[in-house]
Amino acid sequence: TDRCGRILCKNKQHNISYPYSEQHGPSLAVQGQPGTLDRDFVLAYPCKSWPQSASGWLHRQCIGRWPTQEMRRYAASTSCFVVPTGSKVSVYPELEWRISTCLAERCLMFNLNITQIRCYVLMKMIKKSFLNPKDDNNLSSFMCKTVLLRTVENTDSHIWTENNLFTCLTYCLLELLGCIQNAQCSHFMIS
C-alpha cells in the first residue's frame, strides 16, 4: 500500500525463471538445447485501451510520410501491454511497470524496406562489437530499433535505397549519438 492508500503490485513477484535462461529487461531469453529453438518469454498483461501517452504519435506529422496513416490506424487497433520491469534509475523500480507496444512495433518493422532492415542489423552489429563489447547491456537492441524508427520517420523516404546504405546508417548513428549525449532514448510511440 502506498501513501495514497492504493494497493500496488510489485513487479518482482512476476519474474519467471527457467534453466539455461538469461533475463533481459522484461524478457527471459532461453537458449535452445541441441535440436530445439531459442525462445523469449515475457509476462505481459493486456491493456484495455491504447495509452493516452501514445495518442500524440497517432497524429504526429513526419517528414518521410512513414509510417503511413494505415500503419498508424492498425497500430492503434492492436493491444498494448504492461510488463513487470521498472527503470534502472528509479527510486522504486520494483513498483514500476513498462508499457509495451510490441505488436504495433512489429507492424512497423514488417513495413521497413530492405535498406532500413540492413541499417538495423548493422546497428546491432556495431552495438555488439564496439559499443557493448563485453555484453555490458548499456545499449539494447530496443534502443537500436527505436533510433531506426525515429530516423526513418524523420528523413525523406527517397534516401532509403540500397546504394545509399552508408548515408542511412550514418543518420541512424547520429541519432543514436544524440540519445547517448542526452542520456535518453525516448520511446518511439509514447511521449
Side-chain angles (χ1 to χ4, degrees):
T1 306
D2 72 358
R3 289 180 283 199
C4 299
R6 297 176 299 181
I7 298 174
L8 305 176
C9 184
K10 289 186 177 183
N11 60 35
K12 299 297 181 207
Q13 295 170 331
H14 298 276
N15 284 350
I16 50 178
S17 62
Y18 197 83
Y20 310 106
S21 66
E22 194 173 311
Q23 194 79 35
H24 296 283
S27 173
L28 184 69
V30 179
Q31 187 172 350
Q33 300 302 307
T36 64
L37 298 173
D38 292 349
R39 294 174 282 173
D40 281 343
F41 296 97
V42 178
L43 178 69
Y45 294 103
C47 296
K48 289 184 179 182
S49 63
W50 189 257
Q52 280 187 331
S53 55
S55 62
W57 173 78
L58 296 173
H59 307 291
R60 187 165 70 203
Q61 295 297 315
C62 53
I63 293 170
R65 294 195 166 91
W66 187 96
T68 65
Q69 286 303 319
E70 274 180 0
M71 284 186 259
R72 291 174 197 262
R73 276 191 297 275
Y74 174 80
S77 73
T78 63
S79 293
C80 65
F81 305 91
V82 290
V83 294
T85 190
S87 170
K88 293 176 183 176
V89 296
S90 174
V91 177
Y92 303 107
E94 72 279 358
L95 295 176
E96 293 180 345
W97 293 66
R98 183 184 303 166
I99 296 173
S100 171
T101 56
C102 58
L103 298 178
E105 292 166 24
R106 183 177 178 179
C107 164
L108 297 179
M109 292 300 286
F110 281 135
N111 280 283
L112 295 174
N113 70 28
I114 190 67
T115 303
Q116 294 159 342
I117 293 168
R118 286 179 177 154
C119 269
Y120 177 60
V121 170
L122 287 170
M123 284 183 12
K124 286 179 66 169
M125 291 169 67
I126 291 168
K127 172 190 78 77
K128 185 163 182 72
S129 298
F130 301 107
L131 303 176
N132 285 349
K134 297 176 185 171
D135 264 345
D136 299 341
N137 288 330
N138 294 326
L139 294 175
S140 65
S141 294
F142 179 81
M143 291 175 188
C144 291
K145 177 175 61 174
T146 300
V147 162
L148 174 73
L149 295 176
R150 191 174 293 120
T151 305
V152 172
E153 182 184 55
N154 291 317
T155 54
D156 285 322
S157 56
H158 74 274
I159 72 154
W160 294 95
T161 59
E162 287 188 55
N163 63 342
N164 216 11
L165 178 62
F166 184 72
T167 301
C168 295
L169 178 62
T170 302
Y171 286 147
C172 290
L173 293 175
L174 287 171
E175 178 75 27
L176 181 61
L177 178 62
C179 292
I180 293 168
Q181 288 173 335
N182 294 324
Q184 182 177 5
C185 183
S186 299
H187 192 279
F188 180 66
M189 296 176 191
I190 300 173
S191 57

